[in-house]
Amino acid sequence: MRLDSTFYTESDVVMMAKSLLGKKLVTHINGECTAGIIVETEAYRGHDDKGCHANRHGLTPRTATIFGPCGHVYMYICYGMHPMLNIVVGDSGQADAVLVRAIEPVYNIDIMQRRRSMEKLSKSLTNGPGKLAVSLGLSKSQNARCLFDEDSDIWIENAESVEINDIYAGPRVGMSIFVAECSNWAWRFYIKGNPWVSKPSHIEYPW
DNA sequence: CACGGGATCGTCT
DNA sequence: GACGATCCCGTGT
């Protein structure tokens, strides 16, 4: 059962980044269904966060999706080749989004491996934002897709319940600590001890 | 396992 | 024309 529009009415992007942990992310692309449990996320907030595309560039053709309605997907290409999956948070005009940084593969894992050209199963299948997007068959063509439309090719389902004590928080990845003070914000969240998390953080904040 | 460099191109200046 | 919310592979330990 895909989560309906009410799940996406949470307007606090940091709360949403934590709520998404333990949820099942499902795609149905080219007739192939694959899924993984979200184990790592990052929050990006438009109005005061220099790490957020919407803040750095304002409203442009690319960032328009972030300024659009909640529950839609913001896909963009990083470093010219890596697709990134984000979930838009907040009503139109509120330019916030959650980056999905890692999933634990759970359904049709062999198909996910094929998409990544991986013969043997290892954590490298989905322990990074570009990797998980490719494993799920996602590309920029899913940009602005609605997660709660019944005929959408990507959606989210309830799966595991994650206690607040099982969540770690730390600084986001890829933010230069010398450029902006928001690089210190502990807006990267992951399930404590999960082996599919993208990279260990040396500065971790248990609750 | 840690580190470093190269790949590669859409997007914005 | 420069710059990434990254990944992969090579090298060295």
Side-chain angles (χ1 to χ4, degrees):
Chain A
M1 276 288 288
R2 76 176 65 203
L3 292 168
D4 65 22
S5 60
T6 59
F7 173 72
Y8 301 98
T9 58
E10 168 62 66
S11 62
D12 183 328
V13 70
V14 173
M15 292 290 292
M16 193 60 172
K18 289 184 266 190
S19 299
L20 283 164
L21 295 175
K23 297 288 188 292
K24 186 189 288 187
L25 179 60
V26 191
T27 60
H28 191 11
I29 311 267
N30 293 330
E32 297 178 314
C33 193
T34 48
I37 304 294
I38 298 174
V39 300
E40 178 181 350
T41 59
E42 279 178 358
Y44 288 86
R45 189 164 67 191
H47 79 89
D48 61 348
D49 172 12
K50 295 182 176 64
C52 182
H53 290 170
N55 183 274
R56 229 182 131 48
H57 304 288
L59 178 57
T60 68
R62 179 180 60 150
T63 64
T65 309
I66 319 178
F67 285 86
C70 59
H72 289 226
V73 151
Y74 167 51
M75 297 289 310
Y76 78 99
I77 302 298
C78 186
Y79 292 99
M81 60 190 111
H82 305 297
M84 300 279 135
L85 167 67
N86 299 256
I87 294 155
V88 176
V89 174
D91 288 333
S92 296
Q94 176 181 328
D96 302 350
V98 174
L99 170 70
V100 181
R101 285 197 54 89
I103 63 173
E104 175 175 342
V106 291
Y107 188 67
N108 278 339
I109 297 174
D110 55 328
I111 294 175
M112 299 169 71
Q113 283 180 242
R114 191 198 66 222
R115 288 173 177 149
R116 291 260 300 127
S117 305
M118 285 185 66
E119 304 256 329
K120 300 174 74 172
L121 177 60
S122 78
K123 298 180 184 66
S124 170
L125 179 63
T126 53
N127 67 347
K131 301 177 192 178
L132 90 258
V134 170
S135 78
L136 292 172
L138 296 170
S139 65
K140 210 178 67 172
S141 63
Q142 274 78 30
N143 184 46
R145 199 76 92 232
C146 180
L147 287 162
F148 53 83
D149 272 355
E150 279 303 320
D151 56 356
S152 171
D153 57 3
I154 177 170
W155 65 91
I156 294 174
E157 301 179 5
N158 269 321
E160 303 170 4
S161 74
V162 178
E163 302 298 320
I164 193 73
N165 289 330
D166 292 330
I167 300 176
Y168 265 102
R172 291 173 295 179
V173 177
M175 308 274 104
S176 171
I177 211 155
F178 301 107
V179 171
E181 98 276 351
C182 61
S183 63
N184 294 319
W185 297 351
W187 282 5
R188 169 174 177 250
F189 305 100
Y190 58 91
I191 298 177
K192 187 160 80 177
N194 189 286
W196 298 88
V197 166
S198 70
K199 40 180 91 170
S201 177
H202 296 294
I203 315 169
E204 294 175 333
Y205 308 98
W207 299 108

